[in-house]
Amino acid sequence: MTLTWTDLITLDLAKLNEAATEWKTAAEELAKLHGTVRDGLVKKSEAARWAGVNASVTREFVRSAAKEVDDLRREAKSIQAVLADAYEELTQIQKQAKTLADEARKGDPDRGPEPDPGLQVSDGGGGKVRVQESFCDAKGPSRRTQDMIRWYADTLTGLITHAAEVDAAVTRALRASHGGDAHNAGHAEYTSLDQDQLPRAMKLAALGEDAKAAQQAELRRLWQSLSPDARAQLWSAHRDDLLAAGLFNPTVKQVAADRGSGRHGAEKPGWDDWKTRRKMEGLVVGADGRGMDDAARHMKHYLGNSGAPMELPVDEMLSDEKDFQRHVERSHLNREAEWREQALAEYERNGGRAVAIPVETPNADYSFQKASDENWFFAVGSTRSNVTGVVTAVPGADGKPVVSLDYQVNVWDRYNWDQGKHVDVWLYEIPDGEMGQQHKVGLAQEYNMAGSSSVKHYELGSGAAVPGPDEPGRAGERSDPGRGARDGGGEIDR
């Protein structure tokens, strides 16, 4: 049976916890019984001075009875460990699902210049979640609202899938623990769900670039499910494969910051709209000639009218704008002490064995300034960013733990020219709303921009400086041999 949204939020996890507690009690009682049998019956049987067929049969029976009690104890302990692990994980998933659903329903009525509307969350069938506006907007849902609907639907559906995968792992572990024989206990032993989930994660990671999108998504969910100890094993064996599978993909909301210009192609173009297009085409050539490669490329893509997403060269952005680097350090990489302390605590709990802990920072906005970087000011204006990564603590050569951070910077924005974006570019005056009108009349189209930096590594607590971005080289410049492909095909028109 497919798990549904209603199943997830109404799941009575208290009963699961109660069952885990009962199995813990059973394991403890069986341990006492085994001690009594081992120290009483078995010792007396082995020490008895008797011989013959009856003696041999009785001794074997006593040994067998003692072993069966111990097998029952190990099976009960295994079942308790699996159920306790499942309770903890499903509780976290259910709590996150309820929190996000409540957040979606409330919206943000105080947000300016326009509030975020409340959204309805319901079953979408087939293990999916349906999200829609609570009240219809006469102007239709804004770009930001559409993005919110998509993000909540995808995230909540992912939580249902995750819960179903945990449930399947529990089923497999319980079957393996029981063995299917009512008269023969003590088969596979589990101390946690890691023993079921880690081999699956290793198998998926080994696929590398051949892993399909669904397999990569499952691998990322398994990464969240695993204990810090198991994560460290997976990270050590398959670091590059995990990164290729999008392990550091941000999970925070990547949504438009504003309403946008409206529905694409909702109006017919007029003579003034065609004049504006000629002006914008001139801006593309002018920006390219002044070395503003990214501003030219982004404007050209807007005029290309495909609406296809575009990749942001984050290393280049960080390298070009030192204030953006400092923003990342102040807003995202200022948690060094907190992350290090968390990793060391897990390291100690794990008995001095390696651990890995995923980390992700909230979104923080940044605005490029025309005076300091004209290229990125016109290419993206204001953008949103966060940092994702993993903190590891491993035994060092001197026996002391070494705590390190591997991370990437993620940046996203929506390219649009909606109301409130009056700018003057060289000899061109661009009145408020004029460029956004191109989207409305179908001569250009807004699009999403997103990208991530290269993955950087440094030791926390070492006093070392935060590593700088990779050298962007010639990417996007006139001498870049791959420039045409990055532009979406062809040279910039001159």
Side-chain angles (χ1 to χ4, degrees):
M1 183 182 72
T2 302
L3 189 70
T4 68
W5 169 247
T6 302
D7 293 334
L8 176 58
I9 61 174
T10 60
L11 191 62
D12 188 354
L13 294 173
K15 291 183 178 178
L16 180 60
N17 187 40
E18 187 179 315
T21 302
E22 290 176 354
W23 277 103
K24 182 175 184 292
T25 301
E28 292 170 349
E29 292 301 319
L30 285 166
K32 293 177 184 178
L33 178 60
H34 176 251
T36 300
V37 173
R38 180 194 60 223
D39 298 335
L41 289 175
V42 174
K43 283 187 176 181
K44 290 179 179 179
S45 173
E46 297 295 334
R49 296 184 178 181
W50 55 336
V53 175
N54 186 48
S56 299
V57 170
T58 302
R59 284 197 181 99
E60 185 57 36
F61 174 79
V62 171
R63 293 189 198 113
S64 178
K67 179 182 180 304
E68 195 65 23
V69 171
D70 191 43
D71 287 347
L72 288 168
R73 176 194 63 81
R74 288 188 291 111
E75 183 175 311
K77 188 176 180 181
S78 180
I79 292 172
Q80 181 270 328
V82 167
L83 294 180
D85 218 4
Y87 169 74
E88 182 178 345
E89 189 161 3
L90 289 173
T91 297
Q92 292 176 354
I93 293 172
Q94 187 185 66
K95 181 179 179 180
Q96 186 180 1
K98 289 180 177 180
T99 299
L100 289 177
D102 288 342
E103 178 183 284
R105 293 188 187 100
K106 292 176 183 176
D108 186 358
D110 298 324
R111 186 182 186 275
E114 288 187 330
D116 285 329
L119 304 173
Q120 286 185 344
V121 178
S122 59
D123 274 319
K128 295 184 178 181
V129 173
R130 183 184 182 190
V131 180
Q132 58 188 347
E133 286 185 289
S134 299
F135 300 98
C136 293
D137 187 333
K139 295 182 290 186
S142 69
R143 179 72 254 175
R144 178 177 172 84
T145 299
Q146 292 176 51
D147 288 350
M148 286 283 196
I149 288 172
R150 172 191 50 78
W151 184 84
Y152 279 114
D154 290 347
T155 303
L156 293 172
T157 296
L159 290 174
I160 292 175
T161 303
H162 195 177
E165 289 168 349
V166 172
D167 181 66
V170 172
T171 300
R172 289 190 299 268
L174 292 178
R175 284 174 177 168
S177 294
H178 183 265
D181 187 345
H183 303 288
N184 183 18
H187 295 274
E189 288 188 64
Y190 289 80
T191 56
S192 73
L193 280 176
D194 282 347
Q195 287 154 272
D196 178 90
Q197 294 172 321
L198 181 57
R200 174 63 178 168
M202 290 282 192
K203 183 177 179 180
L204 289 172
L207 294 174
E209 295 181 354
D210 294 331
K212 295 180 174 58
Q215 293 171 318
Q216 292 181 349
E218 182 185 355
L219 179 57
R220 293 194 295 271
R221 288 190 294 270
L222 284 167
W223 173 259
Q224 295 296 327
S225 287
L226 293 172
S227 68
D229 174 28
R231 275 196 216 104
Q233 296 177 51
L234 182 60
W235 178 255
S236 176
H238 291 288
R239 177 187 182 275
D240 292 342
D241 294 325
L242 289 168
L243 294 176
L247 183 69
F248 287 175
N249 287 356
T251 65
V252 296
K253 294 188 189 75
Q254 295 185 63
V255 300
D258 44 47
R259 166 173 281 276
S261 299
R263 188 161 62 88
H264 177 253
E267 304 172 13
K268 290 184 178 181
W271 176 246
D272 288 342
D273 298 315
W274 286 107
K275 284 199 303 182
T276 299
R277 183 175 178 85
R278 297 284 85 82
K279 184 195 298 185
M280 295 177 74
E281 288 171 348
L283 283 173
V284 171
V285 176
D288 186 53
R290 291 169 65 99
M292 296 167 57
D293 307 289
D294 300 285
R297 177 169 49 252
H298 291 190
M299 175 76 80
K300 180 190 174 187
H301 192 64
Y302 179 59
L303 295 174
N305 207 18
S306 70
M310 195 171 203
E311 183 175 354
L312 288 173
V314 178
D315 281 319
E316 183 182 331
M317 296 170 74
L318 290 165
S319 180
D320 289 350
E321 180 57 87
K322 301 304 179 187
D323 280 345
F324 187 36
Q325 278 194 53
R326 286 188 281 272
H327 163 78
V328 169
E329 292 177 21
R330 289 193 303 265
S331 301
H332 302 304
L333 297 176
N334 59 349
R335 295 166 171 79
E336 177 174 330
E338 172 192 337
W339 288 342
R340 188 171 186 274
E341 184 178 340
Q342 184 182 359
L344 288 173
E346 289 291 350
Y347 180 86
E348 292 299 324
R349 273 194 289 270
N350 202 42
R353 297 189 302 276
V355 294
I357 302 167
V359 294
E360 180 170 15
T361 65
N363 163 63
D365 291 351
Y366 177 81
S367 294
F368 289 91
Q369 301 302 310
K370 184 179 178 181
S372 60
D373 198 316
E374 205 173 23
N375 174 48
W376 288 112
F377 173 76
F378 287 114
V380 299
S382 294
T383 188
R384 280 133 289 287
S385 67
N386 87 330
V387 160
T388 50
V390 58
V391 177
T392 56
V394 301
D398 58 358
K400 296 180 180 179
V402 177
V403 183
S404 304
L405 169 67
D406 290 84
Y407 73 94
Q408 71 182 25
V409 181
N410 309 295
V411 179
W412 60 92
D413 193 16
R414 185 164 179 82
Y415 190 94
N416 60 34
W417 290 87
D418 54 352
Q419 294 292 325
K421 293 185 178 176
H422 172 280
V423 293
D424 291 327
V425 187
W426 315 312
L427 300 178
Y428 295 94
E429 181 182 356
I430 305 172
D432 186 13
E434 187 176 276
M435 286 191 174
Q437 180 70 12
Q438 295 283 295
H439 174 86
K440 292 181 182 178
V441 300
L443 295 180
Q445 189 167 175
E446 299 172 359
Y447 58 90
N448 290 330
M449 302 179 290
S452 298
S453 72
S454 52
V455 175
K456 311 303 289 185
H457 173 95
Y458 78 108
E459 288 185 19
L460 301 182
S462 66
V466 174
D470 280 3
E471 174 59 45
R474 296 183 298 155
E477 299 176 359
R478 290 173 181 270
S479 58
D480 177 10
R483 182 183 183 198
R486 189 177 167 199
D487 288 339
E491 286 295 316
I492 292 177
D493 297 331
R494 294 183 173 82

